[in-house]
Amino acid sequence: MNFVYSARSRAIEPFHVMALLQRANELQAAGHDVIHLEIGEPDFSTATPVKDAARAALDAGATAYTPALGLPQLREAIAGLYQQRHGLQLDPGRIVVTPGGSGALLLASALLVDPGKHWLLADPGYPCNRHFLRVVEGGAQLVPVGPETNYQLTADLVQRYWDADCVGALVASPANPTGTVLARDELASLSQAVQAQRGVLLVDEIYHGLTYGMDAPSVLEVDNNAFVLNSFSKYFGMTGWRLGWLVAPENAVPELEKLAQNLFISAPTLAQHAALACFTPAAQDIFEQRRHEFAARRDYLLPALRELGFRIEVEPQGAFYLYANISAFGGDSYEFCRYFLEEQHVALTPGIDFGRHRAAEHVRFAYTQPIPRLQQAVARIAAGLSAWKARHAV
């Protein structure tokens, strides 16, 4: 039977990288050694203290629904993280525990965006942000950004692109795919610019904790009315547990609770109990060791790729990505990624997954593999570049 699917569903673009991932898996099944630098998932498994906490909770029978806003003790622990990292006295009542960072974005979108309204988003940026807006019948005004603004929105860009249907701006710090971080004064300027338009500022802080040589400030240090999206997936290494949180102004929490009750009842119970162990000294030591390992990987891969001719115009300060310009090699990003997957068995993400602005000129490397594997990847790419450039007459 042929169904007529909704316009919103048809308007949401697929991840191009998923087709590449499927092909990578086929190659692996055929016996080829594929190096995965495409998916934004750390290669480390969940830390042992977290797994132990999950087992203990399961043995204790913690399998029922939790309150829609989350376990009270987990909300308190998250509030304590803001005291530890940022010196903020955050009321746990402002924290909503969600099924992943995606759940936080869903709640924020449903709360703040009416049909026909939109947020400003940086282009390039994480594609699901604009897709969530489409699901709630809103939209995204993509703002072209480049190295000159660290691939971030600025107060000037907010003023230039804001229009009558704009109700907010969403930024990410550290950002995906570029790894750039907004400084405290930049967050303050953005907040002032958005407030001047009577809008709302939202900041994706999902990669907080994964910064190198610096600490990423929280927008809550400069704007107590901003909305913050965060997750246990990246720094805490709990991708498959599907757990995140949203920090909102106090007066927004009753509306968010109502939405959470209707959209997903509550976040996964076992994941919430497991996440309590993330704040123990033993787990924190593990997370910090992993952060140092990511820093070492970045410090190897960044100069290695530049030596091959990739233009990485802004050094990433956080996350685990390098956003590389391939225009010196010719061709477009999807063709480039397909070639290196088929010929050299290195999987990358094409820039067209992250927006429209110069997207065909870029690819994203995720340094989510150990350094020996990164070294193999660089060697394979070096071996394949000559043939690629000959093919494109570069």
Side-chain angles (χ1 to χ4, degrees):
M1 181 175 180
N2 292 324
F3 296 99
V4 178
Y5 298 114
S6 68
R8 77 177 65 85
S9 177
R10 287 182 276 116
I12 292 175
E13 304 166 22
F15 283 135
H16 296 89
V17 73
M18 297 314 291
L20 294 168
L21 178 60
Q22 180 179 347
R23 178 57 182 155
N25 291 335
E26 291 171 356
L27 289 167
Q28 282 188 175
H32 298 287
D33 175 36
V34 177
I35 302 176
H36 290 276
L37 306 182
E38 80 279 36
I39 301 300
E41 182 171 24
D43 56 318
F44 304 110
S45 64
T46 298
T48 297
V50 178
K51 292 188 287 189
D52 289 345
R55 293 188 188 97
L58 185 61
D59 290 343
T63 58
Y65 294 131
T66 71
L69 295 176
L71 285 174
Q73 59 267 43
L74 181 57
R75 298 167 75 197
E76 291 172 5
I78 293 169
L81 184 68
Y82 287 88
Q83 169 65 43
Q84 175 191 338
R85 284 183 177 171
H86 308 289
L88 294 171
Q89 295 290 338
L90 187 63
D91 181 358
R94 295 176 56 190
I95 296 167
V96 182
V97 181
T98 59
S102 298
L105 182 59
L106 175 61
L107 289 184
S109 302
L111 178 72
L112 299 169
V113 183
D114 278 324
K117 301 300 183 181
H118 58 251
W119 291 342
L120 299 183
L121 275 68
D123 180 0
Y126 181 57
C128 289
N129 294 341
R130 64 182 188 269
H131 296 160
F132 269 103
L133 293 172
R134 182 63 186 88
V135 166
V136 298
E137 301 300 328
Q141 172 66 47
L142 297 182
V143 178
V145 294
E148 65 282 355
T149 66
N150 247 15
Y151 295 101
Q152 294 281 2
L153 292 184
T154 64
D156 288 342
L157 290 171
V158 167
Q159 186 174 15
R160 188 187 316 168
Y161 282 88
W162 200 279
D163 61 26
D165 290 324
C166 192
V167 294
L170 171 62
V171 296
S173 176
N176 178 7
T178 61
T180 61
V181 173
L182 285 161
R184 184 186 174 104
D185 62 334
E186 293 171 324
L187 287 166
S189 295
L190 276 171
S191 172
Q192 293 164 10
V194 171
Q195 288 181 31
Q197 302 291 345
R198 308 177 81 79
V200 61
L201 178 61
L202 303 95
V203 182
D204 171 348
E205 298 184 354
I206 284 171
Y207 291 94
H208 265 221
L210 289 176
T211 54
Y212 316 113
M214 63 169 297
D215 293 321
S218 174
V219 68
L220 297 174
E221 297 175 29
V222 298
D223 184 351
N224 198 44
N225 290 312
F227 286 73
V228 172
L229 315 170
N230 212 320
S231 171
F232 285 92
S233 289
K234 308 302 182 181
Y235 177 73
F236 299 106
M238 295 181 66
T239 51
W241 299 77
R242 306 314 304 135
L243 196 65
W245 72 86
L246 175 68
V247 182
E250 184 179 358
N251 60 9
V253 173
E255 290 296 307
L256 290 166
E257 182 176 22
K258 177 179 65 178
L259 288 169
Q261 290 168 340
N262 281 274
L263 292 173
F264 47 75
I265 302 178
S266 65
T269 299
L270 198 60
Q272 293 188 62
H273 283 279
L276 287 167
C278 288
F279 306 98
T280 62
Q284 289 289 316
D285 286 345
I286 294 169
F287 302 146
E288 283 301 291
Q289 290 169 13
R290 293 176 176 182
R291 182 174 68 87
H292 291 308
E293 171 64 17
F294 280 127
R297 295 176 184 183
R298 181 201 64 165
D299 292 346
Y300 163 72
L301 190 58
L302 177 63
L305 292 176
R306 283 175 168 168
E307 182 69 22
L308 292 180
F310 291 89
R311 284 171 46 207
I312 303 170
E313 297 168 281
V314 175
E315 181 173 311
Q317 301 158 300
F320 34 67
Y321 306 117
L322 296 173
Y323 195 59
N325 188 312
I326 62 168
S327 57
F329 308 135
D332 67 74
S333 64
Y334 189 83
E335 182 190 8
F336 187 91
C337 291
R338 183 79 185 192
Y339 168 83
F340 278 95
L341 176 59
E342 295 289 347
E343 300 299 326
Q344 298 295 333
H345 303 146
V346 178
L348 309 173
T349 303
I352 54 174
D353 266 347
F354 303 107
R356 302 181 181 91
H357 180 56
R358 302 185 66 185
E361 300 175 17
H362 289 81
V363 298
R364 188 193 72 178
F365 292 80
Y367 44 93
T368 51
Q369 296 290 321
I371 288 178
R373 292 292 276 169
L374 297 180
Q375 290 170 331
Q376 287 180 300
V378 168
R380 293 183 189 182
I381 292 169
L385 273 175
S386 295
W388 169 267
K389 289 189 285 189
R391 178 183 298 185
H392 294 84
V394 174

Tab-separated table of all heavy atoms in Angstrom, residues 19-50:
chain	number	residue	atom	x	y	z
A	19	ALA	N	24.515	6.589	4.470
A	19	ALA	CA	24.736	5.740	3.289
A	19	ALA	C	26.192	5.291	3.236
A	19	ALA	O	26.487	4.138	2.868
A	19	ALA	CB	24.360	6.495	2.019
A	20	LEU	N	27.087	6.187	3.601
A	20	LEU	CA	28.505	5.825	3.639
A	20	LEU	C	28.776	4.804	4.740
A	20	LEU	O	29.574	3.872	4.559
A	20	LEU	CB	29.358	7.075	3.848
A	20	LEU	CG	29.330	8.091	2.694
A	20	LEU	CD1	29.975	9.402	3.129
A	20	LEU	CD2	30.036	7.537	1.472
A	21	LEU	N	28.117	4.969	5.888
A	21	LEU	CA	28.293	4.018	6.979
A	21	LEU	C	27.789	2.640	6.573
A	21	LEU	O	28.429	1.617	6.875
A	21	LEU	CB	27.554	4.511	8.227
A	21	LEU	CG	27.608	3.588	9.448
A	21	LEU	CD1	29.047	3.361	9.887
A	21	LEU	CD2	26.779	4.168	10.590
A	22	GLN	N	26.661	2.600	5.895
A	22	GLN	CA	26.149	1.315	5.425
A	22	GLN	C	27.148	0.642	4.484
A	22	GLN	O	27.410	-0.557	4.588
A	22	GLN	CB	24.813	1.503	4.717
A	22	GLN	CG	24.211	0.209	4.183
A	22	GLN	CD	22.873	0.430	3.497
A	22	GLN	OE1	22.258	1.488	3.617
A	22	GLN	NE2	22.411	-0.569	2.765
A	23	ARG	N	27.710	1.442	3.574
A	23	ARG	CA	28.699	0.887	2.658
A	23	ARG	C	29.959	0.445	3.411
A	23	ARG	O	30.546	-0.597	3.103
A	23	ARG	CB	29.054	1.923	1.585
A	23	ARG	CG	30.115	1.467	0.599
A	23	ARG	CD	29.722	0.181	-0.105
A	23	ARG	NE	30.774	-0.264	-1.023
A	23	ARG	CZ	30.953	-1.518	-1.391
A	23	ARG	NH1	30.143	-2.479	-0.932
A	23	ARG	NH2	31.927	-1.832	-2.233
A	24	ALA	N	30.361	1.226	4.429
A	24	ALA	CA	31.523	0.850	5.230
A	24	ALA	C	31.291	-0.492	5.914
A	24	ALA	O	32.186	-1.344	5.979
A	24	ALA	CB	31.815	1.930	6.266
A	25	ASN	N	30.081	-0.691	6.418
A	25	ASN	CA	29.763	-1.957	7.072
A	25	ASN	C	29.775	-3.115	6.075
A	25	ASN	O	30.175	-4.236	6.415
A	25	ASN	CB	28.412	-1.855	7.772
A	25	ASN	CG	28.454	-0.925	8.976
A	25	ASN	OD1	29.513	-0.715	9.574
A	25	ASN	ND2	27.311	-0.365	9.334
A	26	GLU	N	29.325	-2.846	4.864
A	26	GLU	CA	29.380	-3.875	3.827
A	26	GLU	C	30.823	-4.257	3.516
A	26	GLU	O	31.151	-5.439	3.346
A	26	GLU	CB	28.682	-3.376	2.557
A	26	GLU	CG	27.178	-3.228	2.687
A	26	GLU	CD	26.545	-2.536	1.484
A	26	GLU	OE1	27.307	-2.114	0.582
A	26	GLU	OE2	25.307	-2.409	1.454
A	27	LEU	N	31.689	-3.251	3.426
A	27	LEU	CA	33.098	-3.520	3.165
A	27	LEU	C	33.726	-4.328	4.296
A	27	LEU	O	34.527	-5.238	4.067
A	27	LEU	CB	33.852	-2.209	2.957
A	27	LEU	CG	33.546	-1.459	1.652
A	27	LEU	CD1	34.106	-0.045	1.703
A	27	LEU	CD2	34.128	-2.217	0.452
A	28	GLN	N	33.365	-3.972	5.521
A	28	GLN	CA	33.879	-4.722	6.662
A	28	GLN	C	33.405	-6.175	6.619
A	28	GLN	O	34.177	-7.107	6.877
A	28	GLN	CB	33.428	-4.071	7.963
A	28	GLN	CG	34.229	-2.850	8.338
A	28	GLN	CD	33.906	-2.328	9.730
A	28	GLN	OE1	34.532	-1.416	10.176
A	28	GLN	NE2	32.924	-2.878	10.401
A	29	ALA	N	32.128	-6.365	6.292
A	29	ALA	CA	31.588	-7.714	6.228
A	29	ALA	C	32.292	-8.543	5.161
A	29	ALA	O	32.380	-9.771	5.263
A	29	ALA	CB	30.085	-7.661	5.966
A	30	ALA	N	32.807	-7.850	4.137
A	30	ALA	CA	33.536	-8.540	3.066
A	30	ALA	C	35.004	-8.766	3.414
A	30	ALA	O	35.764	-9.281	2.588
A	30	ALA	CB	33.425	-7.737	1.767
A	31	GLY	N	35.404	-8.365	4.617
A	31	GLY	CA	36.757	-8.641	5.079
A	31	GLY	C	37.722	-7.479	5.008
A	31	GLY	O	38.908	-7.647	5.315
A	32	HIS	N	37.259	-6.286	4.628
A	32	HIS	CA	38.145	-5.126	4.542
A	32	HIS	C	38.267	-4.433	5.902
A	32	HIS	O	37.320	-4.409	6.692
A	32	HIS	CB	37.631	-4.133	3.506
A	32	HIS	CG	37.583	-4.695	2.118
A	32	HIS	ND1	38.710	-4.911	1.366
A	32	HIS	CD2	36.525	-5.106	1.349
A	32	HIS	CE1	38.371	-5.410	0.189
A	32	HIS	NE2	37.054	-5.544	0.148
A	33	ASP	N	39.415	-3.851	6.144
A	33	ASP	CA	39.668	-3.111	7.385
A	33	ASP	C	39.300	-1.649	7.161
A	33	ASP	O	40.034	-0.906	6.502
A	33	ASP	CB	41.150	-3.238	7.767
A	33	ASP	CG	41.493	-2.392	8.981
A	33	ASP	OD1	40.649	-2.280	9.886
A	33	ASP	OD2	42.606	-1.816	9.000
A	34	VAL	N	38.170	-1.227	7.692
A	34	VAL	CA	37.703	0.152	7.528
A	34	VAL	C	38.024	0.945	8.789
A	34	VAL	O	37.742	0.498	9.905
A	34	VAL	CB	36.185	0.192	7.247
A	34	VAL	CG1	35.693	1.636	7.153
A	34	VAL	CG2	35.858	-0.569	5.966
A	35	ILE	N	38.618	2.127	8.611
A	35	ILE	CA	38.896	3.025	9.734
A	35	ILE	C	37.766	4.044	9.811
A	35	ILE	O	37.555	4.822	8.887
A	35	ILE	CB	40.249	3.731	9.558
A	35	ILE	CG1	41.367	2.695	9.422
A	35	ILE	CG2	40.530	4.656	10.753
A	35	ILE	CD1	42.734	3.292	9.136
A	36	HIS	N	37.032	4.032	10.907
A	36	HIS	CA	35.838	4.870	11.050
A	36	HIS	C	36.197	6.206	11.685
A	36	HIS	O	36.452	6.299	12.888
A	36	HIS	CB	34.792	4.146	11.900
A	36	HIS	CG	34.180	2.973	11.217
A	36	HIS	ND1	33.121	3.084	10.339
A	36	HIS	CD2	34.492	1.652	11.259
A	36	HIS	CE1	32.791	1.883	9.887
A	36	HIS	NE2	33.611	0.996	10.419
A	37	LEU	N	36.176	7.242	10.851
A	37	LEU	CA	36.367	8.614	11.323
A	37	LEU	C	35.133	9.447	11.000
A	37	LEU	O	35.209	10.667	10.924
A	37	LEU	CB	37.610	9.232	10.678
A	37	LEU	CG	38.922	8.452	10.815
A	37	LEU	CD1	40.070	9.223	10.164
A	37	LEU	CD2	39.238	8.150	12.270
A	38	GLU	N	34.005	8.790	10.804
A	38	GLU	CA	32.810	9.494	10.346
A	38	GLU	C	31.781	9.754	11.442
A	38	GLU	O	31.086	10.775	11.420
A	38	GLU	CB	32.161	8.730	9.168
A	38	GLU	CG	31.310	7.527	9.512
A	38	GLU	CD	32.086	6.264	9.778
A	38	GLU	OE1	33.202	6.323	10.359
A	38	GLU	OE2	31.574	5.179	9.450
A	39	ILE	N	31.620	8.845	12.393
A	39	ILE	CA	30.541	8.951	13.352
A	39	ILE	C	31.020	9.632	14.625
A	39	ILE	O	32.093	9.325	15.144
A	39	ILE	CB	29.965	7.555	13.681
A	39	ILE	CG1	29.456	6.889	12.402
A	39	ILE	CG2	28.840	7.661	14.704
A	39	ILE	CD1	28.375	7.653	11.688
A	40	GLY	N	30.199	10.552	15.140
A	40	GLY	CA	30.559	11.311	16.333
A	40	GLY	C	30.278	10.554	17.614
A	40	GLY	O	29.513	11.015	18.465
A	41	GLU	N	30.896	9.396	17.738
A	41	GLU	CA	30.709	8.578	18.938
A	41	GLU	C	32.071	8.155	19.463
A	41	GLU	O	32.853	7.537	18.745
A	41	GLU	CB	29.866	7.344	18.617
A	41	GLU	CG	29.590	6.482	19.837
A	41	GLU	CD	28.579	5.386	19.556
A	41	GLU	OE1	28.420	4.992	18.376
A	41	GLU	OE2	27.945	4.920	20.511
A	42	PRO	N	32.377	8.475	20.723
A	42	PRO	CA	33.675	8.081	21.276
A	42	PRO	C	33.880	6.572	21.201
A	42	PRO	O	32.932	5.790	21.305
A	42	PRO	CB	33.588	8.561	22.731
A	42	PRO	CG	32.558	9.649	22.716
A	42	PRO	CD	31.567	9.246	21.678
A	43	ASP	N	35.124	6.166	21.036
A	43	ASP	CA	35.432	4.749	20.938
A	43	ASP	C	35.537	4.089	22.301
A	43	ASP	O	35.638	2.870	22.395
A	43	ASP	CB	36.744	4.544	20.167
A	43	ASP	CG	37.915	5.309	20.769
A	43	ASP	OD1	37.708	6.478	21.153
A	43	ASP	OD2	39.026	4.765	20.844
A	44	PHE	N	35.502	4.876	23.365
A	44	PHE	CA	35.586	4.322	24.710
A	44	PHE	C	34.225	3.758	25.135
A	44	PHE	O	33.191	4.372	24.876
A	44	PHE	CB	36.008	5.396	25.711
A	44	PHE	CG	37.297	6.077	25.362
A	44	PHE	CD1	37.310	7.403	24.949
A	44	PHE	CD2	38.499	5.396	25.450
A	44	PHE	CE1	38.490	8.037	24.630
A	44	PHE	CE2	39.697	6.024	25.133
A	44	PHE	CZ	39.693	7.351	24.720
A	45	SER	N	34.228	2.637	25.797
A	45	SER	CA	32.974	2.104	26.325
A	45	SER	C	32.589	2.863	27.590
A	45	SER	O	33.391	3.619	28.155
A	45	SER	CB	33.112	0.609	26.626
A	45	SER	OG	34.067	0.399	27.652
A	46	THR	N	31.378	2.657	28.038
A	46	THR	CA	30.919	3.319	29.257
A	46	THR	C	31.846	2.979	30.420
A	46	THR	O	32.254	1.823	30.600
A	46	THR	CB	29.485	2.874	29.591
A	46	THR	OG1	28.626	3.266	28.514
A	46	THR	CG2	29.004	3.522	30.869
A	47	ALA	N	32.170	3.970	31.213
A	47	ALA	CA	33.109	3.796	32.327
A	47	ALA	C	32.581	2.762	33.328
A	47	ALA	O	31.374	2.682	33.593
A	47	ALA	CB	33.348	5.128	33.023
A	48	THR	N	33.501	2.006	33.902
A	48	THR	CA	33.127	0.917	34.813
A	48	THR	C	32.276	1.379	35.989
A	48	THR	O	31.292	0.698	36.342
A	48	THR	CB	34.398	0.196	35.310
A	48	THR	OG1	35.053	-0.398	34.188
A	48	THR	CG2	34.054	-0.888	36.328
A	49	PRO	N	32.573	2.511	36.664
A	49	PRO	CA	31.702	2.923	37.778
A	49	PRO	C	30.260	3.147	37.338
A	49	PRO	O	29.331	2.880	38.119
A	49	PRO	CB	32.349	4.226	38.265
A	49	PRO	CG	33.776	4.121	37.862
A	49	PRO	CD	33.758	3.392	36.554
A	50	VAL	N	30.070	3.607	36.117
A	50	VAL	CA	28.714	3.846	35.615
A	50	VAL	C	28.006	2.516	35.357
A	50	VAL	O	26.838	2.326	35.716
A	50	VAL	CB	28.768	4.707	34.336
A	50	VAL	CG1	27.364	4.933	33.768
A	50	VAL	CG2	29.445	6.047	34.635
